[in-house]
Amino acid sequence: DAHPRVRVPMPLVTLWGSPCRGKSRRAREIARFVLDRLAAHEEEHPSSSSSSSCASSSSSSASTVSSVEESDGEPSTSVEDVDRASRSVIVLNEESLGIVRAVGYSDAMHEKQTRAMFKDEVKRWIGPETFVIVDSMN
């Protein structure tokens, strides 16, 4: 075979379940873990990372997790826009898409639109340099 197939990982984590079951907390924990691993890898292999900057003029509604901080005993996520070129962890949830849950899931039509928005954002962000975490209701 002249062109061997190369598998490029496109990490996607989907969290689902009933409301108030800890999905968002788990999404923050996963994001923190991945960021710690990326930072450790960049420290061990400084020349292998192309760009670790998180600043950009991206107009997308998705956000990257730049840090996870403890606040009032509850972890919170600090987010900012990023470009696709940098290694990043993207957490997609209703808040990052500008959706009010009471409206986004109020009836079948709105729920269909909400789920379509999630699908579009996952397609936009998924790639070998981006770790996507979808945090949504079932």
Side-chain angles (χ1 to χ4, degrees):
D1 206 12
H3 301 285
R5 284 191 163 187
V6 177
R7 291 184 153 238
V8 178
M10 290 190 250
L12 171 66
V13 175
T14 303
L15 302 171
W16 57 272
S18 301
C20 300
R21 298 291 184 215
K23 295 178 300 297
S24 295
R25 184 193 55 163
R26 185 64 68 194
R28 289 189 299 267
E29 291 171 355
I30 293 168
R32 180 184 302 123
F33 174 79
V34 172
L35 286 170
D36 289 347
R37 293 296 302 249
L38 286 173
H41 178 67
E42 289 175 4
E43 286 177 8
E44 293 173 11
H45 310 287
S47 63
S48 68
S49 67
S50 58
S51 170
S52 61
S53 171
C54 288
S56 168
S57 60
S58 173
S59 62
S60 173
S61 61
S63 301
T64 187
V65 179
S66 58
S67 66
V68 181
E69 306 164 348
E70 295 294 326
S71 169
D72 301 330
E74 194 61 30
S76 65
T77 306
S78 172
V79 295
E80 58 188 22
D81 289 335
V82 297
D83 63 336
R84 285 195 57 116
S86 65
R87 285 200 162 174
S88 56
V89 177
I90 305 294
V91 177
L92 296 175
N93 55 30
E94 286 84 0
E95 181 183 12
S96 71
L97 299 178
I99 299 169
V100 177
R101 286 184 184 175
V103 175
Y105 299 100
S106 62
D107 57 37
M109 182 186 71
H110 285 102
E111 183 173 347
K112 186 175 181 177
Q113 291 171 343
T114 297
R115 294 189 187 281
M117 286 177 68
F118 270 106
K119 184 178 177 182
D120 290 344
E121 285 297 309
V122 168
K123 285 181 178 181
R124 175 178 295 149
W125 288 103
I126 197 163
E129 296 295 319
T130 308
F131 193 101
V132 180
I133 301 171
V134 180
D135 171 22
S136 180
M137 296 184 3
N138 53 347

